[in-house]
Amino acid sequence: MTSTDTGQEDRDGSGITDAGLLAPVRAGSRAEADTGDTAFLQAMLDAEAALTRAQAGLGLAPDEAARAVGAAARTERFDPRSLALRGRSGGNPVIPLVADLTEAVGPDAAPYVHRGATSQDILDSAQMLVAARTLDGLLPQLARTARELAATAAGHRDTPLPGRTLTQHAVPTTFGLKAAGWRSLVLDAYDRLAAVRAGLPAQLGGAAGTLAAFGAHAEADGAADSGGGTESEHPGLRLVPRYARELGLAEPALPWHTLRTPVADLASALAFACGALGKFAGDVLVLSRSEIGEVAEGSGGGSSAMPHKNNPVRAALVASAARQAPALAATLLGSLCAEDERPGGAWHAEWQPLRELLRLTGGATEAAAGLAEGLRVFPYRMHEHLGLTEGLIVSERIAAALGPLLGRARAGELLSAACRTAAEEGITLDEALEEEEPRLRELLSKERLRELADPAGYTGAAPALTDRALRRLPFTPPPED
């Protein structure tokens, strides 16, 4: 039994695999493949190969060794399940991987495998590689969602609907402004993740973050002095930028074994993205209720028991990710409290939550893009709902108009009484006003009162705010799909 999407295979017949059965939001997504066991294994192998290449480029290892390590660093030559089981003894999978890779490269290249590094250098660098590759897949999905929402906002710039606060009708707004708000959050998420992606760093520090072993090996080989000296004299300081370039990651200012800013920033940006998409999804879930029906998914999901159902499945999946993400991010932020120069437990606690957060965010971005692309909007239902309160939705506007005529206090009393009368007697607000204040006709014409009571005429600056929001572009140009 295999799971090619996740890269996790049941090679020993144990039945241990994660096919995403309980995680539909990420099942089949690109992020699932980008974060599977095979993807992490390849990233660790890429980190090992890049380290040997970087050393060879500085004359600290033979070119032949770099070629041998690169040729051997292929996932099909290694058994992830065996690495996982053997990794228990040392607490991480890099230790058995180094043993297997050393055996695979042959005796001539073996001394240059993992030379000078520590397990955390490789696994941290691999996590940054996996994150970079996952973000490269999900950023275009965020850009796609933003483009679709921009088109929706522009198309419904002037479409009025009830604004709702604390679950009740408040004052009218426009669907264009609502969609522009969704897009604004998506762009906020895009900008944060794009900035994090650009700064994802390699990790290289050696046993305690001093780079000492790289100097010691160079001295033993007669290639350099391993003493303190200046920055340019120590091989480790020359190796770090070369290693980062080999990986396509940023150069770190310091080894960050217990300085977990990169992971904390990544976690925060991923959780924010899930929450931003969750706002969009949450609104769709509410507005697509049968009794509201102002929007609908282009192609919803069915029910196992009710043939008539057209469930907003994409919105539900995005919302599920938004509810899981904060707890995962909290675990990763908690790992900032990492003691000494290398921590026990804090670093280990990051691996699964980070992988799951990447998966959830990647799956949510794909679902949100499909949701935005297929969203159906029903302006006639919005128009119907504007009239549900028989004019109460514009009481604020009428109060403002009556204030100069009756005085602010009297206008407030009149509106309060008229709103109660309208609700109790089932009449319109303008009718209730006339009932409560016989002199009203002397102050306002019937035509003017009806004009004031028209919800479609009280959307304020919503169209202009929509135009303003749509002028915003992503901080960096979004990549094409």
Side-chain angles (χ1 to χ4, degrees):
M1 177 175 60
T2 64
S3 176
T4 55
D5 284 340
T6 64
Q8 298 175 45
E9 300 180 355
D10 176 24
R11 295 186 180 182
D12 64 358
S14 66
I16 298 175
T17 188
D18 182 359
L21 185 65
L22 302 181
V25 66
R26 54 92 166 167
S29 67
R30 171 173 166 173
E32 183 179 55
D34 286 342
T35 58
D37 279 0
T38 298
F40 265 93
L41 174 55
Q42 186 60 64
M44 289 187 283
L45 290 167
D46 290 342
E48 292 287 3
L51 179 60
T52 312
R53 286 197 309 273
Q55 293 186 71
L58 295 175
L60 303 176
D63 290 336
E64 294 78 7
R67 285 193 290 270
V69 174
R74 301 194 306 271
T75 55
E76 60 267 22
R77 303 187 63 165
F78 303 89
D79 184 345
R81 181 63 178 164
S82 173
L83 294 172
L85 293 173
R86 288 184 289 144
R88 288 176 60 85
S89 63
N92 73 76
V94 177
I95 297 172
L97 178 63
V98 170
D100 290 356
L101 182 60
T102 300
E103 182 180 355
V105 299
D108 293 336
Y112 301 97
V113 173
H114 197 69
R115 196 185 201 200
T118 192
S119 297
Q120 192 171 352
D121 290 332
I122 300 304
L123 193 45
D124 276 350
S125 294
Q127 285 200 118
M128 294 299 100
L129 277 177
V130 167
R133 292 162 182 173
T134 306
L135 293 181
D136 287 345
L138 69 82
L139 282 168
Q141 297 299 327
L142 284 174
R144 176 184 161 202
T145 302
R147 289 194 296 268
E148 294 296 333
L149 291 177
T152 298
H156 292 280
R157 174 185 184 273
D158 301 303
T159 301
L161 81 163
R164 298 171 172 95
T165 63
L166 300 178
T167 76
Q168 306 297 300
H169 285 197
V171 296
T173 183
T174 68
F175 190 69
L177 183 57
K178 184 179 286 289
W182 296 336
R183 175 180 180 267
S184 179
L185 280 175
V186 171
L187 291 180
D188 288 343
Y190 183 95
D191 289 350
R192 284 162 172 75
L193 285 173
V196 166
R197 168 63 182 92
L200 291 175
Q203 174 75 283
L204 194 63
T210 65
L211 300 167
F214 300 109
H217 285 296
E219 183 182 27
D221 293 343
D225 179 4
S226 66
T230 64
E231 288 191 5
S232 60
E233 290 174 342
H234 196 283
L237 293 171
R238 292 186 289 118
L239 181 60
V240 172
R242 183 72 177 241
Y243 177 57
R245 285 197 301 272
E246 290 286 349
L247 288 172
L249 295 172
E251 177 187 351
L254 294 171
W256 45 280
H257 294 144
T258 52
L259 310 174
R260 307 307 285 175
T261 301
V263 176
D265 284 347
L266 176 59
S268 299
L270 290 168
F272 179 91
C274 284
L277 297 176
K279 161 60 177 170
F280 169 36
D283 279 349
V284 170
L285 289 171
V286 170
L287 297 181
S288 61
R289 290 175 182 270
S290 298
E291 59 268 31
I292 298 178
E294 293 175 357
V295 303
E297 287 198 11
S299 57
S303 164
S304 63
M306 296 166 284
H308 70 281
K309 294 292 291 294
N310 185 44
N311 296 322
V313 173
R314 288 189 179 89
L317 294 180
V318 174
S320 76
R323 283 163 171 77
Q324 296 175 73
L328 295 167
T331 298
L332 294 167
L333 292 172
S335 291
L336 282 167
C337 300
E339 69 281 356
D340 300 327
E341 280 61 57
R342 299 266 312 286
W347 170 55
H348 305 74
E350 293 174 348
W351 308 337
Q352 277 292 88
L354 180 58
R355 191 221 303 253
E356 193 60 26
L357 193 50
L358 286 166
R359 286 175 164 180
L360 285 173
T361 310
T365 59
E366 289 190 21
L371 175 61
E373 195 170 59
L375 189 67
R376 292 185 290 160
V377 183
F378 304 109
Y380 79 93
R381 294 298 300 271
M382 298 174 183
H383 178 74
E384 289 176 357
H385 295 157
L386 285 170
L388 283 178
T389 58
E390 300 288 0
L392 298 184
I393 196 170
V394 290
S395 62
E396 178 187 73
R397 183 187 194 188
I398 296 175
L402 290 178
L405 301 175
L406 299 173
R408 184 174 180 180
R410 172 57 185 150
E413 293 172 0
L414 174 59
L415 260 296
S416 296
C419 288
R420 286 194 300 270
T421 299
E424 292 169 0
E425 298 182 10
I427 61 178
T428 63
L429 179 58
D430 56 329
E431 291 172 337
L433 284 167
E434 292 187 67
E435 186 176 312
E436 293 290 332
E437 176 53 74
R439 295 188 305 124
L440 188 64
R441 183 69 65 229
E442 301 172 12
L443 303 173
L444 288 174
S445 68
K446 190 172 185 177
E447 291 74 19
R448 176 56 177 161
L449 189 55
R450 285 181 177 172
E451 178 186 342
L452 291 172
D454 179 13
Y458 192 56
T459 58
L465 289 170
T466 302
D467 294 339
R468 175 187 293 180
L470 292 181
R471 287 195 289 270
R472 177 186 172 185
L473 298 175
F475 181 71
T476 54
E480 294 298 322
D481 294 344

